[in-house]
Amino acid sequence: MATVTLKGGAIHTSGNLPAKGTKAPDFALTANDLSTKKLSDFAGSKVVLNIFPSVDTGTCATSVREFNREASELENTKVLCVSRDLPFANARFCGAEGLNDVVSLSDFKTGDFGKAYGLDFIDGPLEGLHSRSVVVLDEKGTVLYTEQVAETTEEPNYKAALEALLDA
């Protein structure tokens, strides 16, 4: 279990992010078109998992915009934006913002992604949602970098995540 904060108040997650150098857990998430996407669908590409509570909050929306901007300049890299938001909300947001360089995925059906990655909030006002985190994977699905943002209202360290891609 990890402890992070929300506006200074402690909240806890269901576990810990996968360790650097380990194989990332597989997942089945729902895309905006309601199809199922698995980690294996992105094999051969580097992957940035931008994980957050809800695209309908300012910091979460900013992270999607920022990774979309950065992703447009990356070769052989997919940015997957993962939350418990419904696919319809993800599609609405990305459509309204003109964001085409990220893949929005929802963990609304089973919540298995949050459990497998150890980042479900288990208490506090965001209980049941995902902790703001970034997981970077190489082409074979090996974890290169992780960050669980200590204060949920703050943005992730984009630079460190992107540097992990360049070092791979």
Side-chain angles (χ1 to χ4, degrees):
M1 174 183 344
T3 303
V4 296
T5 59
L6 175 65
K7 299 180 182 178
I11 52 179
H12 304 93
T13 64
S14 57
N16 295 299
L17 293 174
K20 184 177 176 181
T22 64
K23 184 85 169 154
D26 200 5
F27 54 73
L29 296 167
T30 305
N32 292 352
D33 65 2
L34 302 181
S35 66
T36 299
K37 296 292 183 187
K38 296 182 176 192
L39 181 56
S40 58
D41 293 331
F42 303 97
S45 295
K46 296 176 185 175
V47 174
V48 176
L49 296 169
N50 175 35
I51 307 154
F52 49 86
S54 175
V55 75
D56 286 325
T57 66
T59 306
C60 299
T62 297
S63 74
V64 174
R65 287 185 200 105
E66 183 63 21
F67 275 120
N68 182 79
R69 187 180 64 77
E70 297 287 349
S72 66
E73 300 173 14
L74 301 173
E75 290 186 31
N76 193 36
T77 302
K78 303 291 184 196
V79 176
L80 312 182
C81 294
V82 182
S83 69
R84 301 277 322 252
D85 289 307
L86 293 176
F88 314 112
N90 290 332
R92 172 191 42 79
F93 175 79
C94 288
E97 296 279 332
L99 305 179
N100 300 312
D101 293 316
V102 295
V103 178
S104 294
L105 298 171
S106 175
D107 191 22
F108 85 101
K109 285 185 180 178
T110 65
D112 288 345
F113 174 86
K115 292 177 187 84
Y117 281 74
L119 48 77
D120 280 340
F121 286 125
I122 59 170
D123 57 18
L126 299 179
E127 184 176 352
L129 298 178
H130 296 329
S131 173
R132 184 177 319 287
S133 305
V134 177
V135 179
V136 177
L137 311 174
D138 70 9
E139 296 92 333
K140 296 178 182 177
T142 301
V143 177
L144 300 174
Y145 170 87
T146 65
E147 176 191 12
Q148 187 165 48
V149 179
E151 168 53 51
T152 303
T153 62
E154 295 179 2
E155 294 177 56
N157 186 338
Y158 305 108
K159 183 179 177 183
L162 297 171
E163 285 176 355
L165 287 170
L166 299 176
D167 293 341

